[in-house]
Amino acid sequence: MQVSSLLSIPKKLNRLLTKRQKIFLFILLLLTIFLSLVETAGISAIMPFITVASNPDVLNEGYYKYAFDLFGFTDKNAFIIFFGLVIIIFYVFRSFYNILYTYILNRYSLGTYRILSLNLFKIFCSIPYKNFVQKNAGEIIQTINTETVKVSRLLMFCLQVFSELFTVLLLYSLLIIVNWRMSLILTAILLVVTLIVLVSLVEISRRQGKKTTEAVLRQSRILHEAFYNYKFIKLRGNERDFYESYDSSARSAVRASIISTTLGVLPRNFLENFGFSLLICIIVFITWSMGTPEVIIPVISMYALALYRMLPAITRMLSYFNEIAFNYNALDLYYNSMNQEVEKEDDIKLDFKKSFTVDSVDFKYNTGNDVLKNTSLEVIKGESIAITGESGSGKSTLVDIIIGIHKPNSGNLYSDGVRITNENIRSWRKKIGYIPQNIYLFDGTVADNVTFSAEYNEERLIESLKMANIWDFLLKNDGINTQVGEGGIQLSGGQKQRIGIARALYTNPEILVLDEATSSLDNETESKIMDEIYDLSRDKTLIIIAHRLSTVERCNRKILLDNGAIIE
């Protein structure tokens, strides 16, 4: 992992985290510092205790005598027992604090995941529709559900690196005080070894993390494509192609994870063996240089305990760096996703009492030629309009602009002479009931699919189902609690279309838009549904896109679109 990438992590996290999260993070940093102080105090208390226990005469001078007199002791053994009990109580406190710190750290990490995933969900729901249609739904879902977990884990690993680093620095300061020459030698050796291990592993982990992210996104996309085209897969019998594609991506993800996991335990095994050998060398050196047993034992104990705590800390730091590198690509992906172009929309009141106007509209997608060119249209409230034309002439795009999903590159949309902008676009959309060609029904009840997260009103729900002429059928089943199956698989084409009509009518719209809504139905079913729609729309403005002339024969006006322009 490059240094620039490592240094960009705080900057990106600063942009992504909310003010409340930053405050909580600052508190966590303080708790982390205190944890390091507790860990250091736990190690540093051992040397004076062993010194006093092995040679009580030290209580006659220096800091030991000051502590002995401060607490009013007269018996040295009583002081040693008291000193030992204090250390035991402190270690109990240290254990409880470690548990509490771990709880708070995980709560913050998982809470951060919740907020990050919600924020990313909001972003994807706010990007322009023409940008959304260029993305893969499976990859979006994967990013929201999985990559945000990796980002929250990366944040937790950064905190843990800080904790271990602070602990190591404090313990190192103690070793400097005890024997600065030996400590400097120890520093030089450990620094060189650690840097070699760090530089060797982190870049490999970063590459494997990128491979894992790409492979998991491919897996999600393949599953999405397979299950949303299940009928075609069964028809063509090409399951094997999907199996092979999925297995290839899974192999890539597993291979990268195996390498990363193996690299994660390598530093611990290497450094622990190296550290024990180094500790033996230190003991030999201290024995040779100091000679006196009373002096050697406390110093050896101090170095042994310090290294016993420092080496695992250094190992964990390397492991955390490995995880940070592995999850860095997720942070990059999340950061770029959060910085997409978004639309800020509001719900300022907008009236539709006379007419709406499409005025000199041009539109084209991010890639491709103009779809609409200088298109103008006025629709009087209460009339029914048919928009016809060959495939690719721009019919659906014009309707998408009318309903406020697409924003024109130039030109405007007006309601009663008031320009429709981002400030009032939601008010405009609330006036519209939209029935597409393909009605997507999710796996749930009829009630869930009709209300579609809108405010629940059972009376209005049943009324909508009656208006859509499907209530009698539902009464033969479980009524509004009838299960539709994924994609409405338990319903016929006409029944799904009627559920779609009920969904559009549930909010009591002023404008009803049918975008090839009956083109997939047989003539008899289409004719029946269109009769029902004409009856329902007597007090509404009706806009229909259709190829069949029989579908639009009862419309007040017919608009012919050719190559993005109205010619009739």
Side-chain angles (χ1 to χ4, degrees):
M1 186 181 212
Q2 297 178 348
V3 176
S4 59
S5 298
L6 192 63
L7 294 176
S8 71
I9 291 177
K11 177 184 175 183
K12 290 180 178 178
L13 289 176
N14 182 56
R15 292 278 302 274
L16 295 174
L17 299 180
T18 64
K19 183 178 180 180
R20 186 170 182 271
Q21 286 176 303
K22 292 174 187 176
I23 292 173
F24 204 147
L25 180 60
F26 178 72
I27 294 172
L28 258 178
L29 288 174
L30 295 179
L31 293 176
T32 300
I33 292 172
F34 184 68
L35 176 67
S36 299
L37 292 172
V38 168
E39 291 291 329
T40 305
I43 299 297
S44 60
I46 296 299
M47 178 179 167
F49 177 74
I50 294 176
T51 300
V52 172
S54 61
N55 183 18
D57 291 336
V58 298
L59 293 173
N60 296 325
E61 57 186 19
Y63 293 108
Y64 297 107
K65 185 177 186 306
Y66 176 77
F68 186 79
D69 295 337
L70 178 66
F71 291 100
F73 281 95
T74 56
D75 182 68
K76 293 180 179 178
N77 287 335
F79 179 81
I80 294 172
I81 293 171
F82 170 76
F83 196 177
L85 290 174
V86 169
I87 292 176
I88 290 172
I89 293 171
F90 178 80
Y91 269 75
V92 171
F93 165 76
R94 188 184 72 163
S95 297
F96 279 108
Y97 184 77
N98 265 288
I99 294 171
L100 177 63
Y101 175 80
T102 303
Y103 168 77
I104 294 174
L105 181 63
N106 281 282
R107 180 177 176 181
Y108 177 74
S109 175
L110 294 174
T112 299
Y113 155 69
R114 178 182 63 82
I115 295 172
L116 290 178
S117 61
L118 176 60
N119 289 342
L120 192 55
F121 183 33
K122 290 178 180 178
I123 287 292
F124 276 115
C125 287
S126 302
I127 63 176
Y129 184 67
K130 66 178 180 180
N131 294 349
F132 177 82
V133 296
Q134 293 182 315
K135 299 182 181 295
N136 180 277
E139 291 184 2
I140 291 175
I141 294 169
Q142 179 69 27
T143 302
I144 293 173
N145 284 340
T146 303
E147 300 309 305
T148 47
V149 174
K150 294 181 181 180
V151 174
S152 64
R153 284 173 57 81
L154 182 144
L155 179 59
M156 185 173 68
F157 290 134
C158 288
L159 281 169
Q160 289 173 322
V161 165
F162 179 80
S163 173
E164 300 295 353
L165 178 62
F166 202 80
T167 301
V168 168
L169 291 176
L170 288 175
L171 291 173
Y172 177 70
S173 300
L174 284 176
L175 295 184
I176 288 287
I177 295 171
V178 172
N179 189 317
W180 66 270
R181 290 185 180 87
M182 190 66 243
S183 297
L184 290 178
I185 295 172
L186 178 67
T187 301
I189 296 172
L190 284 178
L191 188 61
V192 170
V193 172
T194 302
L195 284 175
I196 291 173
V197 174
L198 186 63
V199 171
S200 302
L201 299 185
V202 169
E203 179 58 28
I204 299 174
S205 293
R206 187 194 67 80
R207 290 200 301 268
Q208 299 309 315
K210 185 176 182 180
K211 288 180 181 178
T212 300
T213 298
E214 292 172 349
V216 171
L217 288 175
R218 284 199 303 272
Q219 284 178 268
S220 181
R221 184 169 62 248
I222 292 166
L223 291 174
H224 190 269
E225 292 171 357
F227 292 136
Y228 278 88
N229 294 279
Y230 189 75
K231 184 183 292 185
F232 291 102
I233 293 174
K234 299 296 287 185
L235 179 65
R236 294 181 179 179
N238 62 341
E239 296 97 328
R240 184 176 296 277
D241 295 335
F242 281 88
Y243 298 159
E244 291 176 355
S245 298
Y246 182 84
D247 187 50
S248 175
S249 298
R251 283 176 182 273
S252 179
V254 168
R255 191 182 304 113
S257 295
I258 290 172
I259 294 173
S260 178
T261 304
T262 304
L263 293 178
V265 300
L266 191 149
R268 179 177 63 82
N269 287 280
F270 176 77
L271 283 178
E272 283 183 2
N273 288 317
F274 178 79
F276 279 120
S277 301
L278 188 61
L279 179 59
I280 293 172
C281 293
I282 290 172
I283 293 172
V284 171
F285 176 80
I286 292 175
T287 304
W288 171 75
S289 61
M290 295 186 177
T292 309
E294 298 83 37
V295 179
I296 294 173
I297 291 175
V299 174
I300 289 176
S301 301
M302 181 65 187
Y303 266 90
L305 287 170
L307 287 176
Y308 178 78
R309 180 63 182 85
M310 285 175 67
L311 286 174
I314 294 172
T315 299
R316 285 193 292 271
M317 282 173 58
L318 292 176
S319 177
Y320 296 149
F321 272 118
N322 183 56
E323 292 287 351
I324 289 170
F326 186 77
N327 292 298
Y328 177 79
N329 191 66
L331 175 63
D332 225 19
L333 180 62
Y334 183 87
Y335 182 81
N336 293 333
S337 297
M338 285 296 295
N339 284 281
Q340 297 178 92
E341 177 191 356
V342 296
E343 297 176 316
K344 294 183 179 180
E345 300 172 340
D346 211 338
D347 195 18
I348 295 175
K349 189 176 184 299
L350 184 71
D351 291 325
F352 173 52
K353 297 179 179 178
K354 298 178 181 178
S355 67
F356 72 81
T357 307
V358 178
D359 183 30
S360 304
V361 162
D362 291 333
F363 180 85
K364 68 176 180 179
Y365 291 95
N366 293 335
T367 56
N369 299 322
D370 290 335
V371 180
L372 296 176
K373 293 172 283 189
N374 196 31
T375 302
S376 297
L377 174 67
E378 183 177 15
V379 177
I380 307 300
K381 182 168 184 174
E383 71 173 332
S384 54
I385 302 294
I387 301 176
T388 61
E390 298 294 329
S391 296
S393 60
K395 302 185 302 298
S396 292
T397 302
L398 176 58
V399 164
D400 285 341
I401 286 177
I402 289 173
I403 66 178
I405 298 300
H406 276 319
K407 307 294 175 59
N409 297 109
S410 64
N412 294 291
L413 183 65
Y414 296 89
S415 178
D416 289 349
V418 177
R419 188 164 71 92
I420 297 174
T421 65
N422 281 351
E423 283 70 34
N424 54 26
I425 188 69
R426 292 189 177 182
S427 178
W428 172 248
R429 289 176 187 154
K430 287 178 181 178
K431 302 179 188 302
I432 297 169
Y434 178 67
I435 308 171
Q437 177 179 0
N438 298 312
I439 303 292
Y440 175 72
L441 302 181
F442 53 85
D443 188 13
T445 66
V446 168
D448 295 333
N449 276 277
V450 172
T451 56
F452 205 68
S453 298
E455 184 179 349
Y456 184 81
N457 184 318
E458 186 169 332
E459 183 180 344
R460 180 63 190 164
L461 170 62
I462 295 174
E463 182 185 353
S464 300
L465 292 167
K466 288 179 178 178
M467 293 167 68
N469 278 328
I470 195 173
W471 180 241
D472 291 340
F473 164 77
L474 296 176
L475 286 178
K476 297 175 185 177
N477 294 277
D478 293 325
I480 60 175
N481 296 314
T482 301
Q483 295 289 327
V484 303
E486 181 67 32
I489 196 169
Q490 297 184 39
L491 302 175
S492 69
Q495 289 163 350
K496 284 200 298 184
Q497 214 66 27
R498 284 185 167 88
I499 296 293
I501 293 169
R503 178 189 286 172
L505 295 173
Y506 179 73
T507 56
N508 193 25
E510 298 178 51
I511 304 170
L512 199 58
V513 177
L514 282 74
D515 187 355
E516 303 279 9
T518 58
S519 62
S520 60
L521 303 176
D522 59 83
N523 290 334
E524 184 179 351
T525 304
E526 181 195 36
S527 178
K528 189 174 182 180
I529 287 179
M530 286 307 304
D531 286 340
E532 294 163 1
I533 287 174
Y534 281 119
D535 288 339
L536 290 171
S537 60
R538 286 175 181 171
D539 60 341
K540 302 181 186 300
T541 303
L542 182 63
I543 300 174
I544 302 176
I545 294 179
H547 280 100
R548 298 174 187 169
L549 292 178
S550 59
T551 306
V552 298
E553 60 184 4
R554 292 168 59 182
C555 288
N556 303 135
R557 192 153 47 111
K558 298 177 181 64
I559 305 296
L560 179 60
L561 216 62
D562 182 44
N563 197 25
I566 295 176
I567 60 173
E568 183 179 319

